[in-house]
């Protein structure tokens, strides 16, 4: 569980209490919702296979020229309030930042005054120099403090508007959008965030070590079609009782878990570009396979804390939340959640059952950026392909129902190594690979004998070193009555280099 937890999770915890009280209703609601989902998916499968993109998926513009009049006015007002607060040294709550009064002597000063008094010196003449010294110290401290506040920043972006940094408006717009452009509310949210970061020393959290256990619960990997960094949250790891107790077993452990969640957010934010036209939010993929249900009390408490913390301090930093491998209870919870979610929030959610994981992810993320366990080509520490490999361009073809397609990889030079990746959405096809020499007198070599590929098959990767000129031919036979989408890439490695 990591990188941005949403309002849905907070509401899920409220809903889970209701579900726990009414188990029969939960199961009934879950089944009914699953049936609805099946019907919707059946209808979707009959539609033309077109790449769908939500109109709300692209980030809202941060260019002033694209803002509505009331939005520009709100931004201007927030900047004015922020400028004044920073320059007048009252950005933080007075209770937290209020300095000592000039006339208020410290314990050390009082002790000095008492000693002077005992020696019979004139009290007023003796204490006065102490007060003057305090005044000088106080003036110096105030000047230093004001300078520090002038340099206050958030996510690496200076916040003093008069500095003219191009990212200041971008950051402030996030707080305004989170509070529906209500200036006072956005300003209070910003102040509380800055105070929380200072008290919790969040700027240093990225360098802290939380161990390998939590590290398996989330990872940053690749980018989506719009350039958003993608964070994968693996909820299923908490099905392990040892890790579960280590993460949520006590208030102290939950505190560590919360701090780790902040670390994941901060690492993701480091990949963003806070400027007009830049990528300023993340894509969250939440894998619910084998994840503990809402009946887990400790998990409910932790998630509620995480939701509150992230909602209050990381506004508008997620472009999309994609939930994959959703279990049956998710639909029941969703039915109860819907009335509590705003349309703005709902537009960010995408849900995919296990059979639709790859199909859903590929709408938003290029196949070469999707991890292999989710049907894509991306592998950890890949020695064959890399994101900088221009020679390995991904191609796509559509295989009509009851038809056959071939992919040819020619190699005229002897001694090269051919490497390729192939995946078919939904598979259920016959598949084979062979090397056909250019010399008609040579024999065809079977690289991968023909076999039926089931629906759960993962992407295929294979290599072949040719000892004579020829070509590798990949044959895909679609015997079903549905068309298939195929993605593939290949490269030829010159072993003499």
């Amino acid at each position: 569980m990591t990188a941005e937890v949403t309002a849905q999770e907070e509401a899920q915890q409220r809903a889970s209490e209701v579900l726990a009280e009414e188990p029969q209703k939960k199961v009934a609601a879950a089944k009914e919702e699953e049936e609805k989902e099946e019907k919707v998916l059946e209808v979707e499968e009959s539609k033309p296979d077109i790449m769908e993109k939500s109109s709300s998926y692209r980030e809202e513009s941060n260019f002033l020229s694209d803002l509505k009049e009331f939005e520009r006015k709100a931004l201007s007002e927030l900047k004015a309030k922020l400028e004044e607060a920073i320059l007048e040294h009252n950005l933080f709550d007075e209770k937290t930042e209020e300095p000592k009064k000039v006339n208020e002597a410290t314990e050390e000063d009082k002790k000095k005054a008492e000693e002077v008094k005992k020696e019979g010196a004139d009290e007023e003449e003796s204490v006065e120099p102490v007060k003057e010294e305090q005044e000088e110290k106080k003036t110096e401290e105030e000047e230093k403090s004001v300078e520090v506040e002038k340099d206050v920043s958030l996510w690496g972006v200076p916040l003093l508007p008069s500095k003219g940094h191009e990212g200041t408006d971008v950051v402030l717009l996030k707080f305004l959008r989170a509070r529906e452009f209500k200036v006072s509310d956005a300003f209070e949210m910003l102040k509380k965030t800055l105070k929380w970061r200072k008290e919790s020393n969040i700027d240093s959290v990225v360098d802290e070590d939380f161990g390998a256990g939590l590290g398996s619960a989330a990872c940053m990997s690749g980018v989506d079609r719009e350039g958003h960094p993608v964070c994968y949250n693996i909820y299923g790891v908490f099905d392990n009782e040892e890790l579960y107790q280590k993460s949520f077993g006590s208030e102290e452990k939950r505190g560590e878990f919360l701090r780790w969640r902040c670390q994941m957010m901060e690492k993701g934010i480091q990949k963003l570009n806070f400027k007009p036209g830049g990528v300023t939010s993340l894509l969250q993929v939440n894998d619910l396979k084998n994840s503990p249900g809402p009946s887990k009390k400790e998990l409910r408490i932790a998630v509620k804390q995480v939701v509150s913390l992230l909602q209050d301090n990381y506004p508008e930093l997620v472009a999309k939340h994609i939930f994959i491998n959703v279990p049956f209870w998710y639909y029941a919870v969703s039915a109860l959640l819907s009335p509590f979610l705003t349309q703005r929030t709902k537009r960010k959610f995408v849900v995919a059952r296990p059979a639709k994981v790859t199909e859903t992810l590929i709408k938003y993320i290029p196949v070469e950026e999707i991890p292999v366990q989710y049907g894509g080509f991306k592998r950890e520490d890949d020695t064959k392909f890399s994101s900088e490999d221009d020679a390995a361009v991904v191609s796509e073809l559509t295989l009509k129902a009851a038809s056959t397609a071939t992919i040819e990889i020619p190699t005229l030079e002897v001694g090269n190594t051919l490497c390729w990746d192939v995946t078919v959405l939904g598979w259920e096809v016959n598949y084979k690979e062979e090397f056909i020499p250019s010399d008609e007198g040579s024999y065809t070599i079977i690289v991968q004998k023909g076999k039926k590929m089931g629906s759960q098959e993962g992407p295929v990767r294979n290599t072949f070193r040719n000892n004579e000129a020829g070509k590798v031919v990949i044959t895909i036979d679609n015997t079903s009555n549905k068309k298939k989408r195929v993605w593939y890439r290949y490269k030829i490695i010159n072993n003499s280099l």
Side-chain angles (χ1 to χ4, degrees):
M1 169 191 294
T2 177
E4 167 113 337
V5 178
T6 66
Q8 183 165 7
E9 291 174 296
E10 183 179 31
Q12 178 177 335
Q13 306 317 308
R14 300 193 217 108
S16 64
E17 296 175 2
V18 177
L19 293 173
E21 295 174 1
E22 301 179 358
Q24 292 183 348
K25 290 184 178 181
K26 178 180 75 172
V27 175
K31 289 182 178 179
E32 182 179 351
E33 198 66 26
E34 270 195 296
E35 290 175 0
K36 290 180 180 179
E37 178 75 6
E38 293 284 350
K39 291 179 181 179
V40 170
L41 289 169
E42 287 176 4
V43 172
E44 289 180 346
E45 288 174 354
S46 65
K47 294 180 181 179
D49 200 357
I50 300 174
M51 182 67 66
E52 297 178 9
K53 289 187 180 180
S54 170
S55 60
S56 63
Y57 182 51
R58 288 183 179 275
E59 294 191 44
E60 293 171 278
S61 176
N62 291 310
F63 289 103
L64 286 177
S65 58
D66 293 334
L67 299 179
K68 297 177 181 178
E69 181 61 32
F70 81 92
E71 294 174 338
R72 286 196 294 269
K73 182 179 178 181
L75 178 59
S76 179
E77 291 178 4
L78 179 56
K79 290 168 69 174
K81 288 174 73 73
L82 183 58
E83 181 90 13
E84 180 182 4
I86 293 176
L87 295 181
E88 294 188 3
H89 189 44
N90 60 7
L91 179 61
F92 297 96
D93 291 342
E94 292 183 3
K95 185 179 293 185
T96 302
E97 292 297 315
E98 184 180 21
K100 295 177 181 178
K101 295 179 181 178
V102 173
N103 294 331
E104 184 181 334
T106 63
E107 289 298 324
E108 184 179 351
D109 295 333
K110 289 178 180 179
K111 186 176 181 181
K112 288 180 181 180
E114 188 65 29
E115 290 175 355
V116 172
K117 184 177 180 180
K118 287 181 180 180
E119 292 174 0
D122 185 345
E123 183 177 306
E124 292 184 3
E125 293 180 0
S126 301
V127 175
E128 192 60 35
V130 176
K131 291 182 178 179
E132 290 178 0
E133 184 180 349
Q134 282 184 292
E135 279 193 44
E136 292 178 0
K137 284 183 179 181
K138 179 58 189 162
T139 301
E140 292 177 1
E141 289 176 359
E142 284 183 334
E143 290 177 354
K144 289 180 181 179
S145 183
V146 170
E147 287 302 317
V148 170
E149 284 205 4
K150 284 183 180 179
D151 292 334
V152 68
S153 63
L154 180 58
W155 306 320
V157 177
L159 290 183
L160 184 64
S162 58
K163 283 193 172 184
H165 192 278
E166 62 181 349
T168 304
D169 286 359
V170 176
V171 171
L172 296 184
L173 280 169
K174 288 186 176 296
F175 285 86
L176 285 168
R177 284 170 172 143
R179 291 296 180 262
E180 298 179 345
F181 284 89
K182 296 177 182 177
V183 177
S184 295
D185 292 349
F187 184 52
E188 287 303 312
M189 183 184 189
L190 175 59
K191 289 201 300 181
K192 289 179 180 179
T193 292
L194 293 172
K195 178 183 177 183
W196 167 76
R197 292 181 69 85
K198 183 177 181 180
E199 292 176 347
S200 303
N201 196 21
I202 293 300
D203 287 337
S204 67
V205 75
V206 291
D207 299 320
E208 296 177 15
D209 183 8
F210 294 94
L214 284 174
S216 64
C219 68
M220 299 294 302
S221 180
V223 297
D224 68 6
R225 295 182 183 277
E226 305 296 337
H228 301 103
V230 182
C231 181
Y232 292 86
N233 307 301
I234 318 300
Y235 288 71
V237 299
F238 297 111
D239 194 43
N240 179 288
E241 186 62 24
E242 182 180 352
L243 181 58
Y244 181 89
Q245 292 300 327
K246 183 179 179 181
S247 304
F248 313 115
S250 67
E251 185 175 348
E252 181 181 355
K253 291 176 180 177
R254 288 193 293 272
E256 283 293 296
F257 174 78
L258 290 177
R259 195 160 181 81
W260 169 77
R261 278 297 286 110
C262 292
Q263 183 187 71
M264 288 305 302
M265 279 302 300
E266 294 294 326
K267 286 183 176 180
I269 289 170
Q270 288 181 341
K271 298 178 179 293
L272 302 180
N273 184 0
F274 291 102
K275 69 177 184 180
V279 176
T280 66
S281 60
L282 309 168
L283 177 71
Q284 296 280 348
V285 177
N286 306 288
D287 187 355
L288 303 184
K289 185 177 181 179
N290 298 325
S291 60
S295 61
K296 288 278 192 177
K297 179 182 177 182
E298 298 85 1
L299 182 60
R300 291 205 309 269
I301 294 173
V303 170
K304 185 176 181 180
Q305 292 173 329
V306 169
V307 169
S308 177
L309 185 148
L310 297 183
Q311 275 193 303
D312 292 343
N313 299 290
Y314 295 96
E316 298 298 309
L317 283 166
V318 175
K320 212 76 170 173
H321 284 279
I322 302 177
F323 292 84
I324 61 175
N325 289 315
V326 294
F328 78 93
W329 51 259
Y330 177 88
Y331 298 105
V333 172
S334 296
L336 295 174
L337 290 174
S338 186
F340 303 102
L341 301 175
T342 65
Q343 288 302 315
R344 182 183 182 87
T345 300
K346 289 178 182 178
R347 285 199 299 267
K348 292 185 178 183
F349 296 139
V350 177
V351 179
R353 58 181 180 142
K356 297 292 182 179
V357 169
T358 305
E359 181 179 347
T360 301
L361 291 180
I362 214 162
K363 291 179 181 179
Y364 303 96
I365 308 172
V367 67
E368 64 270 26
E369 294 288 350
I370 298 174
V372 66
Q373 63 266 35
Y374 297 128
F377 292 157
K378 193 175 185 66
R379 300 170 187 264
E380 290 186 16
D381 303 319
D382 197 343
T383 59
K384 302 297 184 183
F385 295 92
S386 68
S387 56
E388 292 80 24
D389 197 342
D390 295 331
V393 177
V394 175
S395 299
E396 179 182 353
L397 63 86
T398 299
L399 185 57
K400 295 181 179 180
S403 67
T404 300
T406 59
I407 300 169
E408 297 186 0
I409 307 175
T411 175
L412 301 179
E413 295 184 15
V414 176
N416 289 337
T417 296
L418 286 70
C419 180
W420 59 89
D421 285 327
V422 180
T423 190
V424 180
L425 194 59
W427 286 101
E428 294 295 345
V429 297
N430 294 318
Y431 180 90
K432 70 176 180 178
E433 302 167 344
E434 53 191 350
F435 177 77
I436 302 177
S438 299
D439 186 348
E440 294 182 359
S442 298
Y443 293 99
T444 295
I445 300 173
I446 302 300
V447 179
Q448 167 64 61
K449 64 180 181 180
K451 70 171 185 175
K452 177 74 173 180
M453 304 287 278
S455 60
Q456 301 302 314
E457 198 76 35
V460 171
R461 168 168 291 187
N462 212 344
T463 59
F464 179 78
R465 181 187 175 96
N466 68 311
N467 294 319
E468 57 183 316
K471 60 184 177 181
V472 168
V473 177
I474 301 170
T475 303
I476 306 172
D477 180 20
N478 180 17
T479 58
S480 72
N481 58 1
K482 294 180 180 180
K483 64 181 179 181
K484 300 287 183 178
R485 295 173 68 187
V486 182
W487 288 269
Y488 65 93
R489 66 179 177 180
Y490 63 86
K491 66 185 296 186
I492 300 173
I493 304 171
N494 191 331
N495 294 321
S496 64
L497 297 179

